[in-house]
Amino acid sequence: MRPILDIQALYKSFGDAEVLKNINLKVGEGEMVFLIGPSGSGKSTLLRCCNRLEEPTSGAIWMDNTNLLAGDTDINRMRQRIGMVFQGFNLYPHMTAEQNVMLALRRVQGKSEAEAREIARRELDRMGLAERFGHYPSQLSGGQQQRVAIARSLALGPRVMLMDEPTSALDPELVGGVLEAMREMKAAGMTMLVVSHEMRFAREAADRVAFMQAGEIVEYGTPAELLAREGGRARAFLGGEH
Amino acid sequence: MNALIEQFFNLEVMAQAFPFLLKGLGVTILLTLLLTPLGLALGLALALGSSARHRGLRRAVRIWVNGFRGLPPLVLIIIVYSALPFLGLRTPPLMAVVIALWLNSSAYYCEILRAGLGSVPAGQMEAARATGLGRAQALRDVVLPQAVRNVLPDLASNTIELVKGTSLASIIGVSELLHMASNARSVVYNASPITLAALMYLAFLLPSVRLTGWLERRRRGA
């Protein structure tokens, strides 16, 4: 399968602390890859390197024949093709759901107000938020806010979605709606790189799982492979209840 | 008691002085309309400079801002007014006041806006950048509106301070409200024009003071 994201020999240090060591990972078209592992193992940092919210120290990340880390890469252009969803949603509180989705369509893609609104409403509708176009984030539940955030990313037509613990900040009864949205995105062929502690969901939906520890990917395979590996560290993790 | 009323609340004198004081109020308002946007603009530039990546720039901005916060505005007005001619600049007093109070007010606006920018979670900038917005776009559309909203009462208070500060311009003969009242007083040997000026300042500023109180309450409610 042709990789959409191809991470090669990636290193990242914060001062003296090396938080990513020689990361190599390919994410194929339409694949859902989970990054799992203990806290502080570098999962989120790796994800944030993929759209350069963190600047890697060295290595390469290829996407569509472009090295995202090259000096002459227009990262703002590439970021439209790399959606990102945050643990804390990070919706703009002074804008309605619709305006949240419209902002980058207008400012980055230069769409007309009418066109941006049409796209925003379509994406929000897909997320089951047809009744919520004019609501401000403070008027929405956490689950609804996260789905607005997903719509905000999808509206730009990304090739890959980076999801950083998308359900960790949600009350248990709201997790299902967001997981359902992720399932639908996968069914629609979206490529996804996901940091999550939802192990039951990972077992069921992930195509590949990368288990990280102390800044390295120490195990990699399908959920079934990792679960079958006797004595594997990922096994205990992935086999957990959640 | 009668002497006090005669000296400070002489309605006849007030009526005579009123047209002059109205002209003075016009200059005070002109100074306000000039200095508020100028101060906000430079204050914002300084606030952004305070968090610039370049360390030298950051330091320079901090020295600049702390310097002008530490200088009494009256001293600044006199220095600017008396020093500019030596630089070959023949500036009218009004211009000297605008420059001096601009330097002073922008330093305070800077500190308020810096606090406002600091109050917006980093995730807001990240979310905007992650959708492809440039830094300037993200600041304008996402971070600044929230920052300003968070410090609106303080910005309003500072603007009121600025209006009151324009009365210092009287010392170098700018014909603003206090200066006109002072002139009228020395012509008629009666302080009633000063009382009238005080009432006019109040009429001009009380609505703003009340607005600030309302913004304050709304912020606490939110």
Side-chain angles (χ1 to χ4, degrees), chain B residues 21-90:
Chain B
L21 266 58
L22 210 52
K23 270 190 204 156
L25 182 63
V27 174
T28 295
I29 291 174
L30 172 73
L31 281 169
T32 305
L33 292 181
L34 272 173
L35 280 164
T36 306
L38 283 175
L40 279 169
L42 182 56
L44 177 61
L46 292 168
L48 294 174
S50 303
S51 60
R53 229 170 288 168
H54 191 284
R55 195 208 270 181
L57 177 63
R58 253 185 355 243
R59 285 233 177 108
V61 167
R62 295 318 304 160
I63 291 169
W64 175 277
V65 168
N66 288 336
F68 285 115
R69 282 204 303 159
L71 276 174
L74 184 54
V75 174
L76 204 52
I77 287 173
I78 295 171
I79 289 176
V80 170
Y81 181 57
S82 49
L84 282 180
F86 288 99
L87 298 172
L89 294 167
R90 298 186 58 84

Side-chain angles (χ1 to χ4, degrees), chain A residues 3-219:
Chain A
I4 289 210
L5 264 187
D6 189 352
I7 303 169
Q8 298 175 352
L10 195 77
Y11 286 82
K12 167 71 181 170
S13 302
F14 290 111
D16 289 338
E18 199 165 52
V19 290
L20 294 178
K21 296 168 208 162
N22 192 23
I23 300 286
N24 293 277
L25 182 67
K26 286 181 175 43
V27 183
E29 183 145 22
E31 261 191 334
M32 185 187 244
V33 175
F34 269 65
L35 299 173
I36 67 170
S39 350
S41 57
K43 311 179 296 279
S44 285
T45 305
L46 173 55
L47 203 68
R48 290 162 57 84
C49 282
C50 293
N51 67 352
R52 276 176 56 187
L53 283 184
E54 301 290 353
E55 291 290 346
T57 310
S58 66
I61 301 178
W62 289 90
M63 184 182 158
D64 292 338
N65 301 318
T66 303
N67 181 3
L68 297 176
L69 308 186
D72 59 353
T73 297
D74 179 355
I75 193 66
N76 289 337
R77 198 170 62 84
M78 296 305 288
R79 277 173 176 160
Q80 297 167 58
R81 298 191 231 166
I82 311 170
M84 186 168 220
V85 170
F86 301 85
Q87 179 177 359
F89 327 133
N90 299 2
L91 291 182
Y92 315 133
H94 59 303
M95 297 185 195
T96 63
E98 188 176 76
Q99 289 166 337
N100 263 275
V101 183
M102 286 170 66
L103 181 66
L105 290 168
R106 301 270 288 130
R107 292 277 187 270
V108 183
Q109 299 194 337
K111 297 219 171 1
S112 72
E113 170 117 26
E115 200 182 350
R117 175 162 291 123
E118 192 189 315
I119 296 170
R121 293 193 166 177
R122 191 181 65 220
E123 293 299 335
L124 288 168
D125 195 21
R126 265 179 64 189
M127 287 290 134
L129 295 164
E131 309 298 314
R132 300 285 184 271
F133 295 154
H135 284 55
Y136 285 89
S138 60
Q139 300 169 314
L140 299 171
S141 75
Q144 289 169 335
Q145 288 187 54
Q146 192 58 297
R147 282 181 282 145
V148 173
I150 293 173
R152 178 172 67 181
S153 284
L154 289 181
L156 299 172
R159 304 263 284 131
V160 59
M161 286 285 279
L162 309 172
M163 311 195 79
D164 192 1
E165 306 205 27
T167 58
S168 298
L170 297 176
D171 291 336
E173 76 272 20
L174 301 176
V175 169
V178 171
L179 296 185
E180 189 51 41
M182 290 169 71
R183 243 180 236 117
E184 279 166 22
M185 284 158 64
K186 180 173 155 63
M190 179 56 69
T191 307
M192 284 181 267
L193 186 56
V194 185
V195 172
S196 177
H197 296 291
E198 298 286 341
M199 290 306 150
R200 197 184 313 166
F201 184 62
R203 290 197 298 270
E204 164 214 334
D207 297 299
R208 295 276 189 286
V209 175
F211 180 75
M212 290 184 71
Q213 193 165 298
E216 292 177 281
I217 295 178
V218 291
E219 290 185 57

Side-chain angles (χ1 to χ4, degrees), chain B residues 15-162:
Chain B
Q16 271 182 333
F18 186 69
F20 296 95
L21 266 58
L22 210 52
K23 270 190 204 156
L25 182 63
V27 174
T28 295
I29 291 174
L30 172 73
L31 281 169
T32 305
L33 292 181
L34 272 173
L35 280 164
T36 306
L38 283 175
L40 279 169
L42 182 56
L44 177 61
L46 292 168
L48 294 174
S50 303
S51 60
R53 229 170 288 168
H54 191 284
R55 195 208 270 181
L57 177 63
R58 253 185 355 243
R59 285 233 177 108
V61 167
R62 295 318 304 160
I63 291 169
W64 175 277
V65 168
N66 288 336
F68 285 115
R69 282 204 303 159
L71 276 174
L74 184 54
V75 174
L76 204 52
I77 287 173
I78 295 171
I79 289 176
V80 170
Y81 181 57
S82 49
L84 282 180
F86 288 99
L87 298 172
L89 294 167
R90 298 186 58 84
T91 49
L94 186 79
M95 184 63 91
V97 164
V98 168
I99 293 171
L101 291 182
W102 187 23
L103 293 172
N104 175 259
S105 68
S106 59
Y108 284 95
Y109 278 129
C110 163
E111 292 305 275
I112 295 169
L113 288 169
R114 205 159 68 96
L117 290 169
S119 74
V120 179
Q124 291 290 312
M125 176 58 94
E126 288 185 349
R129 296 304 307 274
T131 57
L133 267 74
R135 198 177 127 75
Q137 282 176 320
L139 262 176
R140 194 189 59 191
D141 291 324
V142 174
V143 177
L144 257 186
Q146 298 179 59
V148 168
R149 196 175 55 172
N150 290 348
V151 293
L152 208 50
D154 309 88
L155 290 174
S157 288
N158 196 51
T159 306
I160 290 168
E161 286 303 315
L162 171 60

